[in-house]
Amino acid sequence: MRRTERLFQIIQVLRRARRPVTGQHLAEELEVSLRTLYRDMAELIAQRVPIRGEAGTGYVLDSGYDLPPLMLTADELEAAVLGAKWVAARGDDALARGAEDLIAKLSSVVPAELEPVIVDAGVYPVTRFDNRVKDSFDVSLARSAIRHQQKLHIEYTDEYGSVSSRTIWPFLIAYWEDVRMVCAWCELRDDFRHFRTDRVISADLLEERFRERIAVLRAQWNAQREAERERCTEADRSA
């Protein structure tokens, strides 16, 4: 890895980190010595990259700092294009348009030498359209509810054809190859429930916001799923 690429990579590591990153961790990820890492950090700081911290305590990149698109690597562009193409094929209509717009914007801002990475990308998601289930409502409503932490009122049909009226707190939309699920806290059941997007008869975004933070709901949901997996594992061992 050239030094310029390594400097960009250091910034990327710091951008995705939620806590201070130690020099030892950075050196191991970049596969360089600590001495080289400290020289790189000094160079970045000299170039006025807003990095705080020092050797032994960890480094933090100040919020608000960003890299212009022309600094994206070929691998990063291919990752973005592959993900966008999958979303364009599998997302709801609004999300699919957003994915197509993303590819168009990337094409317009990258330097000429990187244009082939997007135009003639050698990566492509293989999908089966014969088994794709169509959404029965505008899923962008659920995405908006998640972004703004608003309640969603739905009329829902279960696998047996029974219809129920629910007020839910959506916090995640799970995308499988053939179906999509809205993961939410259900006020009717007072528990987490999963709602297939092809079984929602109607959906209305409510003005009322739910009290629990999205991150907390996801953490509780993950903990519940993990506990269920452990119970299943114990049951299998006992059988």
Side-chain angles (χ1 to χ4, degrees):
M1 185 184 297
R2 293 176 300 178
R3 190 184 189 199
T4 301
E5 294 175 342
R6 195 168 65 242
L7 294 179
F8 290 159
Q9 187 60 29
I10 290 173
I11 295 174
Q12 292 293 80
V13 173
L14 294 178
R15 287 177 68 192
R16 68 172 183 255
R18 296 180 178 270
R19 299 178 179 177
V21 183
T22 65
Q24 183 65 45
H25 177 86
L26 284 167
E28 290 175 357
E29 181 161 342
L30 298 170
E31 298 181 348
V32 297
S33 67
L34 269 174
R35 187 174 181 179
T36 298
L37 186 278
Y38 292 149
R39 284 202 301 264
D40 288 346
M41 298 304 295
E43 175 63 23
L44 286 171
I45 294 172
Q47 294 181 15
R48 297 186 178 181
V49 176
I51 295 174
R52 293 181 289 106
E54 57 186 23
T57 61
Y59 297 96
V60 176
L61 182 67
D62 284 347
S63 60
Y65 179 78
D66 206 356
L67 292 173
L70 60 85
M71 290 187 179
L72 292 175
T73 67
D75 287 341
E76 290 167 344
L77 281 173
E78 284 192 334
V81 171
L82 177 60
K85 285 181 176 179
W86 192 95
V87 172
R90 287 297 176 186
D92 58 81
D93 291 343
L95 202 59
R97 286 193 299 271
E100 292 169 351
D101 289 344
L102 172 61
I103 294 176
K105 288 180 179 179
L106 287 173
S107 301
S108 67
V109 296
V110 298
E113 63 269 20
L114 287 178
E115 286 182 8
V117 175
I118 299 176
V119 178
D120 300 317
V123 292
Y124 197 85
V126 177
T127 58
R128 291 180 54 197
F129 289 95
D130 57 334
N131 66 338
R132 180 179 177 180
V133 177
K134 292 185 178 181
D135 301 321
S136 57
F137 80 111
D138 185 357
V139 181
S140 66
L141 286 175
R143 291 193 285 108
S144 179
I146 294 171
R147 283 197 300 268
H148 302 292
Q149 203 167 308
Q150 289 176 262
K151 294 184 180 183
L152 196 66
H153 182 79
I154 64 172
E155 297 292 322
Y156 187 74
T157 305
D158 65 17
E159 59 184 313
Y160 304 108
S162 300
V163 178
S164 60
S165 179
R166 314 282 187 109
T167 296
I168 61 175
W169 308 355
F171 58 85
L172 182 72
I173 301 177
Y175 288 80
W176 275 273
E177 183 66 16
D178 53 346
V179 298
R180 285 153 296 285
M181 293 273 193
V182 177
C183 306
W185 178 266
C186 177
E187 291 187 355
L188 178 65
R189 302 304 184 195
D190 196 29
D191 201 356
F192 292 111
R193 288 293 185 269
H194 306 133
F195 303 94
R196 284 180 48 154
T197 58
D198 61 312
R199 293 179 180 167
V200 177
I201 301 173
S202 63
D204 294 297
L205 190 61
L206 304 180
E207 292 294 331
E208 186 180 0
R209 292 165 57 90
F210 48 86
R211 61 182 179 273
E212 199 63 89
R213 292 188 297 113
I214 293 291
V216 172
L217 287 172
R218 289 176 182 165
Q220 293 173 345
W221 174 70
N222 279 319
Q224 186 181 91
R225 293 174 67 218
E226 185 60 33
E228 290 174 355
R229 278 195 293 265
E230 290 179 1
R231 284 196 296 269
C232 291
T233 301
E234 289 298 325
D236 291 340
R237 291 172 179 171
S238 302

